[in-house]
Amino acid sequence: KAGVTQTPRYLIKTRGQQVTLSCSPISGHRSVSWYQQTPGQGLQFLFEYFSETQRNKGNFPGRFSGRQFSNSRSEMNVSTLELGDSALYLCASSLVIGVSYEQYFGPGTRLTVT
Amino acid sequence: SQQGEEDPQALSIQEGENATMNCSYKTSINNLQWYRQNSGRGLVHLILIRSNEREKHSGRLRVTLDTSKKSSSLLITASRAADTASYFCATPSGSARQLTFGSGTQLTVLP
């Protein structure tokens, strides 16, 4: 099976702009989670989508949003970019089995805000 | 916020030696997972241990879990240069598929 894919891999944006990142999960996985990784804050959960519904959201401002399509592909959007949004954005897909699950991560999108 | 703290933050060993890293967490869990991340890339799932398990093996990896102490350890035996990476423990939190990660251990294996 193909792994989780994320596009684009690298992105440079200017403060105040907006950006959309895309994630295609492993075939058959219906859950997609997004994480932000920075040197200062580490890996932090952004939100999770399952069956096109946002199931949980981390402690991020409303500028961060996302959605999931019927084919389980997901996008996240960040509006009014700030310098602090520079980070590696990772998405992960899950095949949920009971209450224990593993997440399979994509390679990430490196966002630089200047 | 981060659920766990990992110890040590950095570890440097020679090829062939064993590497042990520890993780502590704060709340009750039903499983704990370990992931590896090569420099600036995605995370790779290594192993999942359930709360009713005390030890689990996968190849050169051995994970232990002590729920009374809220701690876990990852042992990599006979390390290789290719094991150089950051290692994170992660626990599910909330009702959804949300992982909370530790701060990570940067392992360097010298040839």
Side-chain angles (χ1 to χ4, degrees):
Chain A
K1 279 186 179 177
V4 177
T5 59
Q6 292 187 247
T7 57
R9 293 292 311 279
Y10 302 91
L11 205 49
I12 300 175
K13 289 286 189 179
T14 305
R15 269 182 306 177
Q17 289 186 316
Q18 74 167 19
V19 66
T20 298
L21 311 181
S22 180
C23 173
S24 292
I26 292 171
S27 177
H29 287 194
R30 293 166 59 196
S31 169
V32 174
S33 299
W34 289 89
Y35 294 84
Q36 182 197 63
Q37 185 177 28
T38 60
Q41 298 299 315
L43 280 154
Q44 296 188 90
F45 173 80
L46 278 158
F47 30 64
E48 186 241 351
Y49 286 87
F50 181 74
S51 295
E52 301 178 62
T53 302
Q54 187 180 91
R55 301 292 173 148
N56 204 7
K57 186 170 165 53
N59 188 25
F60 280 83
R63 300 185 297 106
F64 292 81
S65 63
R67 59 178 177 169
Q68 187 179 35
F69 302 94
S70 58
N71 61 358
S72 294
R73 189 177 70 85
S74 177
E75 291 181 346
M76 67 163 282
N77 183 78
V78 187
S79 62
T80 319
L81 284 166
E82 300 178 359
L83 295 179
D85 297 333
S86 294
L88 181 66
Y89 289 89
L90 296 162
C91 83
S93 72
S94 300
L95 177 63
V96 180
I97 303 174
V99 296
S100 295
Y101 58 92
E102 301 171 7
Q103 294 199 353
Y104 296 84
F105 283 79
T109 293
R110 173 77 62 185
L111 172 65
T112 302
V113 182
T114 64
Chain B
S1 64
Q2 293 182 324
Q3 159 84 298
E5 293 299 322
E6 290 177 66
D7 171 56
Q9 288 189 337
L11 179 61
S12 184
I13 59 173
Q14 296 291 137
E15 227 174 5
E17 293 181 337
N18 296 343
T20 300
M21 47 206 93
N22 304 294
C23 164
S24 61
Y25 57 92
K26 298 175 184 173
T27 61
S28 296
I29 59 171
N30 56 48
N31 71 74
L32 184 143
Q33 302 172 42
W34 284 90
Y35 287 82
R36 182 187 75 223
Q37 183 180 37
N38 291 88
S39 181
R41 304 182 70 178
L43 283 80
V44 174
H45 183 271
L46 294 176
I47 195 165
L48 179 152
I49 186 166
R50 293 180 169 81
S51 59
N52 61 354
E53 297 175 309
R54 291 295 168 258
E55 187 171 309
K56 197 164 184 179
H57 296 253
S58 177
R60 293 184 296 112
L61 306 180
R62 187 188 82 153
V63 169
T64 62
L65 179 64
D66 186 335
T67 54
S68 66
K69 295 181 179 178
K70 291 188 169 57
S71 68
S72 175
S73 68
L74 171 67
L75 168 68
I76 304 174
T77 60
S79 61
R80 305 166 181 168
D83 294 328
T84 295
S86 292
Y87 292 81
F88 296 89
C89 65
T91 55
S93 57
S95 58
R97 285 155 288 281
Q98 171 182 346
L99 289 179
T100 302
F101 285 86
S103 50
T105 293
Q106 171 62 52
L107 173 66
T108 302
V109 181
L110 303 170

